[in-house]
Structure formats: C-alpha cells, structure tokens
C-alpha cells in the first residue's frame, strides 16, 4: 500500500490522567500534572517530525465543568501554567499555539494568558498546536452555522469557518484521531473534522503516552486504506454492460 506522504492533522483525546494517578495512590491533580508533561513530549515529537503539521489536543470538555470545583480549579490553574511555561519553547520550535473552544466562561487572567501565548507564537510555521478548552464540537458547529448564515451549504467553506472560529488558522480535517485510556468514543470532540478520520484507541494512560506509542499509532494508520467512500484500490471497476 502506498504511504500517504501528506502532512497529517493529528487529533488526541488525552484520557486517563485521573485513573493513572488513582492507581498510584496519588490525587487526581497529580495525574493532570503528569499529563501536561506528556503533552510537552508529544508536541516536541510533532514539531521535530515532518509527518504532522497540525496537532489538536482535547484538554477540557464543556462537560468537564461538572467535576468538583477543586479539580476544575486545579485544571484551569495547570492550563495557565502550561501556557506561561511552554509559549517560549513553542516559539523556538516553530509551533503556533491556538486555543479552541469557549472563552466566555474562563477567567480574565486565563484569557489574557491565552492571548499572550497566541500572540508570541503566531509566526510558528512548523506545527500548529490547537488546545481545546471548554470545547464542545456540537456547540462549535452551531457557532459556525450562525457565522455563515443558514442559506449557505458549501461543506468545504463550512469546514474552514469551523476550524478558524477562534481566530486561529484554518486547518485540514483530522487524518488520525488517537484516544488514550482505553475508552472508545469521541466525547463531542471534532465531530465534523473527524468525518473521515482513522480512529486509534489505546489502553495506555495519557501520562505514559510517548514517542514509541505515537510510532505504533502512525504505523497502524499507514497500514489502513483510506477510501473516503470509494472502493478498495484492489477492487476492479465494473465494466459497462457487464451482468
């Protein structure tokens, strides 16, 4: 099978932080801190790779507000710390960082941190890193529909509007979606963009996920045949007039 050499859009649902910590007798917040370290590893790998040009990571779902106020506060504090600690590293590596999702429910300080990180890394041309925070794909689709107007029906333009809702660059649809932690569902993440994505589920908890796991996922991706509704390349076309 011919290897797809196009730069890929990689989506990751970073699942398993809390269970990773609980299994070690640690508070769930320790798992989230370890998860931030794992994200750094993956971003460094992607920035050095010529295979991935866009990475979208699911950090905080709109449904995650239902968690305890202590955990939500810790997650928001960790996100702010990540933006402060990683933005200069992202800039050095040529990583353009943007945040997708709602911002109206975030604190003023966190919105300021997002704006600074996006501004400092805006010139990055090696990798686009999109972090989804207070994100719901269904809500994003509704926002994009409202922005376009209900009379338009161009799916390609809709995809561009959807991917650039929050001021970031328009990006291609997702090629490979990875979910760690053993669960096998999309959880309202990039539903439109993942219409033809290859799905890869692994039981590895996100804090343990590294470059070797990425290589396994990408090798599995390249063994698959993406047909986008067509026939397998080995299937002969039916000749006109054949019975």
């Amino acid at each position: 099978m011919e290897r797809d050499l196009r730069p890929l859009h990689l989506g990751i649902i970073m699942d398993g932080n809390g269970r990773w910590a609980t299994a070690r007798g640690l508070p769930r917040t320790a798992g989230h801190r370890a998860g931030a370290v794992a994200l750094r590893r993956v971003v460094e790998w992607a920035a050095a790779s010529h295979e991935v040009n866009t990475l979208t990571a699911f950090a905080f779902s709109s449904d995650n507000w239902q968690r305890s106020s202590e955990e939500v506060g810790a997650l928001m504090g960790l996100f702010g710390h990540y933006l402060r600690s990683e933005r200069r590293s992202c800039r050095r590596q040529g990583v353009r960082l943007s945040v997708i999702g709602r911002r109206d429910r975030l604190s003023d300080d966190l919105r300021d941190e997002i704006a600074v990180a996006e501004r400092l890394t805006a010139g990055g041309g090696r990798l686009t890193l999109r972090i989804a925070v207070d994100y719901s794909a269904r809500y994003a689709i509704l926002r994009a529909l409202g922005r376009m107007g209900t009379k338009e029906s161009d799916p390609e333009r809709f995809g561009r509007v959807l991917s650039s809702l929050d001021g970031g660059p328009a990006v291609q649809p997702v090629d490979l979606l990875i979910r760690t932690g053993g669960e096998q569902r999309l959880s309202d993440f990039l539903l439109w963009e993942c219409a033809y994505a290859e799905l890869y589920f692994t039981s590895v908890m996100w804090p343990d996920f590294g470059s070797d796991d990425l290589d396994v996922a990408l090798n599995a991706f390249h063994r698959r045949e993406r047909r986008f509704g067509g026939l397998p390349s080995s299937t002969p076309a039916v000749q006109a007039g054949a019975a």
Side-chain angles (χ1 to χ4, degrees):
M1 183 182 303
E2 185 177 350
R3 188 181 179 95
D4 188 349
L5 299 179
R6 295 179 305 108
L8 303 177
H9 181 176
L10 177 63
I12 301 183
I13 300 176
M14 306 181 293
D15 197 14
N17 292 340
R19 284 172 286 154
W20 179 91
T22 300
R24 288 159 176 76
L26 301 171
R28 289 176 60 86
T29 52
H32 296 311
R33 288 194 296 271
V37 174
L39 179 58
R40 180 187 301 129
R41 287 196 303 266
V42 170
V43 171
E44 289 175 350
W45 175 92
S49 166
H50 296 290
E51 191 163 7
V52 176
N53 67 356
T54 305
L55 171 63
T56 304
F58 204 3
F60 188 87
S61 163
S62 294
D63 291 327
N64 289 154
W65 291 110
Q66 301 175 60
R67 298 186 179 185
S68 70
S69 58
E70 291 79 11
E71 184 170 357
V72 169
L75 283 165
M76 292 301 164
L78 180 62
F79 181 47
H81 175 75
Y82 180 88
L83 293 172
R84 290 189 296 274
S85 64
E86 300 300 318
R87 60 197 181 200
R88 298 194 186 279
S89 175
C90 286
R91 187 176 184 178
R92 287 194 302 271
Q93 296 176 82
V95 177
R96 178 175 181 174
L97 190 154
S98 65
V99 175
I100 62 173
R102 295 182 62 170
R103 301 191 188 187
D104 57 301
R105 297 190 287 193
L106 306 180
S107 69
D108 291 342
D109 288 345
L110 188 51
R111 288 198 296 269
D112 289 343
E113 294 288 357
I114 292 171
V116 170
E118 290 180 332
R119 184 175 67 250
L120 283 177
T121 63
R126 181 174 298 175
L127 174 73
T128 296
L129 169 63
R130 304 194 308 160
I131 301 179
V133 175
D134 196 0
Y135 177 83
S136 159
R138 289 172 294 182
Y139 180 75
I141 289 170
L142 290 174
R143 287 177 62 201
L145 285 171
R147 183 165 296 184
M148 285 186 66
T150 57
K151 294 182 180 180
E152 298 188 55
S153 58
D154 180 350
E156 290 188 5
R157 179 168 181 264
F158 177 80
R160 293 193 297 271
V161 170
L162 179 64
S163 72
S164 59
L165 273 178
D166 299 300
V171 299
Q172 69 198 55
V174 174
D175 296 292
L176 171 62
L177 177 69
I178 298 171
R179 180 168 187 152
T180 62
E183 302 292 350
Q184 298 186 23
R185 55 181 177 269
L186 294 181
S187 296
D188 199 13
F189 182 56
L190 301 179
L191 300 179
W192 178 278
E193 297 92 327
C194 284
Y196 283 101
E198 296 295 324
L199 307 181
Y200 180 86
F201 301 107
T202 174
S203 59
V204 176
M205 298 296 171
W206 175 247
D208 291 328
F209 195 82
S211 58
D212 289 345
D213 302 294
L214 274 166
D215 287 338
V216 171
L218 284 166
N219 286 335
F221 169 80
H222 286 300
R223 288 195 298 270
R224 300 181 187 181
E225 184 173 7
R226 305 184 73 198
R227 300 195 298 273
F228 302 97
L231 295 173
S233 57
S234 59
T235 302
V238 177
Q239 296 181 356

